[in-house]
Amino acid sequence: MMASVRVGSNAGSVRSVLIALAWAAALIRHEGHAMSGMEDEERGAVERRGTHFVVQGRPFLVHGFNTYWLMVFAADPATRCKVSDVFKDAAAAGLTVCRTWAFNDGGWRALQISPFVYDEEVFKGLDFVVSEARTHGMRLMLSFCNNWEDYGGKAQYVRWGQEAGLDLSGDDDFFSDPTVKSYYKAFAKTVITRVNTFTNVAYKDDPTIMAWELINEPRCPSDPSGDTLQAWFEEMAAYVKSIDPTHLLEIGVEGFYGPSTPERLQLNPYTCAGDAGTDFVRNHQVAGVDFASVHVYSDTWLPDPDPDAHLQFVRAWMHQHMDDAEKLLGMPVVFGEFGVSVKDERFDSRFRETFMETVYDTLLSSRRDVGGGCLVWQLFPEGTEHMDDGYAVVLAESPSTLQMLSQHSRSLQTHHSKGSCGSSEPHEEL
C-alpha cells in the first residue's frame, strides 16, 4: 500500500514536470500568436472562395474547439475568469476557432426568458465572450438554437407556443408553425444586430464572428422525407442573410445522408439515421449556406467495441463528406464536432488521442481540393471538471494532447505554405 502510494507520488511529480514544460513551451508560442490573432481580426472577416475559406485572400483552415457554456459562465462575475482561461489554453495550443452557444432558452440563467424577452445581464455575458475571443485572436461560430432540450432548444419554443394557445402536437412543430418560427426569427435578429457593450461593435459587423449556425444537430423524424427541415433551412437561411449578408452561415447538421442520395444511405452509421429528416447533400444546396457541417461520434453511433472499426468508420465518413463537399456542393466542409467519451467503458484517454489524431491526419492527407477543418468536442479549463460529460479535454492535465494540437497547428502551416489552397501566399495561422 505504501509502496504504491510512493510510486504514484513519483509518477505525479514526473507528470507535473511534463505538464509544466509543455505548457511553458506553448505559452511562449502563444505570446506572438495572440498579437498576430488580433492583427488578423483587424484585417477582415473570414470569407468563402469556392471550396476554401480565406481572410483577405489568404487561405484559412479551421483548427478549433467547442466550449458550449461560455455565455452562461461569462454572465456571472464569479465564473467569468473561466472564459478567459479556456481562450488562453486554446491559443497556447494553436487553436483559433471556437464554436459556442449564443442561446439559452428559458430556465436557469436564460438569455431568452420568453419570446421577445431577453436578459440584458446574460447578453452582456455573450458580449464578453465575443470581446474576449477577439483579445485572444479567436474566431467564433455562434449557434442560435438547439435541437435537444439542453439550454431549452426547440422543445422550449414549442412549450412557449402551447402556453400561448397554439395547437402544437410535438417538438417538430418548431420547424413548421408560423408563430414559433416568428419567435426564432426575432431572437436571431436580436443577436445579429446586438451592439456589444464591451467593444461598441454590432455583432453583424464584427469579424471576430466567423459564422452563424442555424441550429445544433437538427432532426425532424416526424418527416423522414426531409421536406419540412429543407423548407425551414431555406426560410431561415434567407432571413439571416437578409439581416447579415457578410458573415458565413451554416446549418448545423450531423451529416446523415437522406433520400436525395439513396446510394449513400449505407454510409450512415446506423439505418434509422436516414430517417432523421436531414439530408446532407440536399440541405447544403440551400441558397445562402456557405459551408457544410458534419459531426463525428462513432462512440455513440456504433455498437462495435473494436477500436479499429471506429477508426475505419471515421476515415470513410470524413472522406465521403469531403468528396461530396468538393464535387457535389462546391463548398468547404467543417467537422463541427468530434470526440470520444472516456466515460464509455470501451475507450480510454489513449484511444481518444488516437481518435483525434485520425481526424487530423485524415484532413491533412486528403488530396481533395476542399478546405474547411474541424473542432474538437470539447475544451475545458481547469476548475470546470464537475461539468465533464466524458468528452472534456483539459489541456493543463494532458501534455500529450496539448502537444498533438500544437503539432497539428504546425502541420497546417506547412500544408498551406506549399500552396495547397491554390495560393502561395502566407496563410493565416490557426
Side-chain angles (χ1 to χ4, degrees):
M1 191 71 175
M2 286 300 293
S4 66
V5 171
R6 290 179 62 188
V7 170
S9 177
N10 291 336
S13 298
V14 173
R15 175 175 172 275
S16 297
V17 171
L18 288 172
I19 291 172
L21 289 173
W23 208 243
L27 287 174
I28 290 172
R29 291 193 302 273
H30 168 53
E31 289 183 2
H33 175 82
M35 287 304 296
S36 67
M38 291 182 67
E39 292 168 359
D40 285 339
E41 292 290 294
E42 294 169 356
R43 281 202 295 267
V46 179
E47 300 174 322
R48 168 191 164 194
R49 179 180 294 172
T51 58
H52 299 281
F53 295 127
V54 297
V55 175
Q56 294 206 342
R58 303 167 67 216
F60 181 101
L61 268 178
V62 173
H63 182 26
F65 65 100
N66 289 267
T67 306
Y68 67 88
W69 43 256
L70 295 179
M71 179 183 69
V72 295
F73 269 54
D76 183 348
T79 55
R80 180 171 289 180
C81 62
K82 296 302 177 184
V83 175
S84 302
D85 288 346
V86 76
F87 285 144
K88 290 176 184 175
D89 291 353
L95 305 172
T96 58
V97 180
C98 172
R99 178 172 172 264
T100 191
W101 297 169
F103 64 85
N104 190 15
D105 309 311
W108 174 76
R109 205 170 285 175
L111 173 59
Q112 186 172 199
I113 300 171
S114 61
F116 316 111
V117 180
Y118 315 108
D119 188 313
E120 178 61 19
E121 292 308 308
V122 179
F123 241 136
K124 288 179 180 178
L126 186 57
D127 291 344
F128 179 80
V129 171
V130 176
S131 174
E132 195 71 355
R134 184 186 186 283
T135 296
H136 293 281
M138 295 287 158
R139 306 278 183 166
L140 295 174
M141 294 172 60
L142 298 180
S143 185
F144 291 132
C145 190
N146 204 356
N147 183 75
W148 315 111
E149 291 197 25
D150 303 279
Y151 281 50
K154 68 180 184 183
Q156 180 60 65
Y157 277 85
V158 170
R159 282 193 292 272
W160 284 330
Q162 291 170 332
E163 291 168 1
L166 301 178
D167 182 18
L168 305 175
S169 59
D171 292 349
D172 285 353
D173 288 339
F174 169 86
F175 298 111
S176 57
D177 184 83
T179 300
V180 174
K181 288 191 290 184
S182 74
Y183 299 164
Y184 173 92
K185 287 181 177 179
F187 175 71
K189 182 177 181 179
T190 300
V191 173
I192 294 168
T193 59
R194 167 83 176 179
V195 176
N196 194 310
T197 56
F198 289 87
T199 66
N200 203 35
V201 177
Y203 284 19
K204 66 183 181 66
D205 299 324
D206 194 338
T208 307
I209 298 170
M210 172 182 168
W212 304 113
E213 178 178 275
L214 293 182
I215 182 171
N216 173 56
E217 299 186 335
R219 296 186 186 182
C220 187
S222 63
D223 182 10
S225 75
D227 291 344
T228 298
L229 255 182
Q230 185 74 4
W232 189 85
F233 288 144
E234 291 171 353
E235 180 177 352
M236 297 309 168
Y239 182 75
V240 170
K241 284 292 188 176
S242 73
I243 303 169
D244 180 5
T246 301
H247 281 103
L248 302 176
L249 178 68
E250 54 112 347
I251 57 180
V253 296
E254 297 155 279
F256 300 143
Y257 289 101
S260 75
T261 52
E263 72 282 2
R264 286 176 172 72
L265 293 177
Q266 62 182 355
L267 298 169
N268 286 336
Y270 50 90
T271 303
C272 61
D275 297 326
T278 61
D279 191 324
F280 176 73
V281 173
R282 183 188 181 199
N283 295 159
H284 287 104
Q285 292 171 333
V286 169
V289 175
D290 294 296
F291 61 93
S293 163
V294 184
H295 292 181
V296 190
Y297 285 116
S298 67
D299 62 336
T300 59
W301 293 345
L302 303 182
D304 196 324
D306 180 12
D308 288 339
H310 286 256
L311 300 181
Q312 290 171 11
F313 169 81
V314 169
R315 296 185 189 99
W317 185 248
M318 292 180 65
H319 278 302
Q320 186 62 61
H321 284 85
M322 288 188 287
D323 193 58
D324 289 338
E326 177 192 1
K327 297 177 181 178
L328 300 182
L329 301 172
M331 61 174 54
V333 57
V334 172
F335 296 90
E337 293 184 23
F338 71 95
V340 170
S341 173
V342 296
K343 290 186 177 181
D344 187 322
E345 61 183 13
R346 297 173 298 169
F347 309 115
D348 56 17
S349 57
R350 181 176 298 180
F351 175 76
R352 177 164 68 186
E353 289 193 355
T354 301
F355 182 95
M356 292 173 65
E357 287 177 342
T358 300
V359 171
Y360 293 138
D361 289 347
T362 302
L363 280 172
L364 287 174
S365 65
S366 174
R367 295 183 178 181
R368 294 169 178 81
D369 185 29
V370 59
C374 60
L375 304 100
V376 65
W377 182 278
Q378 56 186 327
L379 199 64
F380 277 27
E382 288 186 292
T384 57
E385 293 87 347
H386 63 285
M387 297 178 62
D388 182 12
D389 58 358
Y391 290 90
V393 175
V394 182
L395 293 179
E397 299 176 359
S398 181
S400 57
T401 303
L402 171 60
Q403 183 179 9
M404 175 178 57
L405 293 174
S406 299
Q407 178 57 48
H408 183 61
S409 180
R410 292 191 293 272
S411 297
L412 287 175
Q413 296 179 52
T414 302
H415 190 65
H416 275 294
S417 67
K418 296 178 180 179
S420 59
C421 275
S423 171
S424 58
E425 297 178 20
H427 74 287
E428 177 169 353
E429 181 180 348
L430 296 181

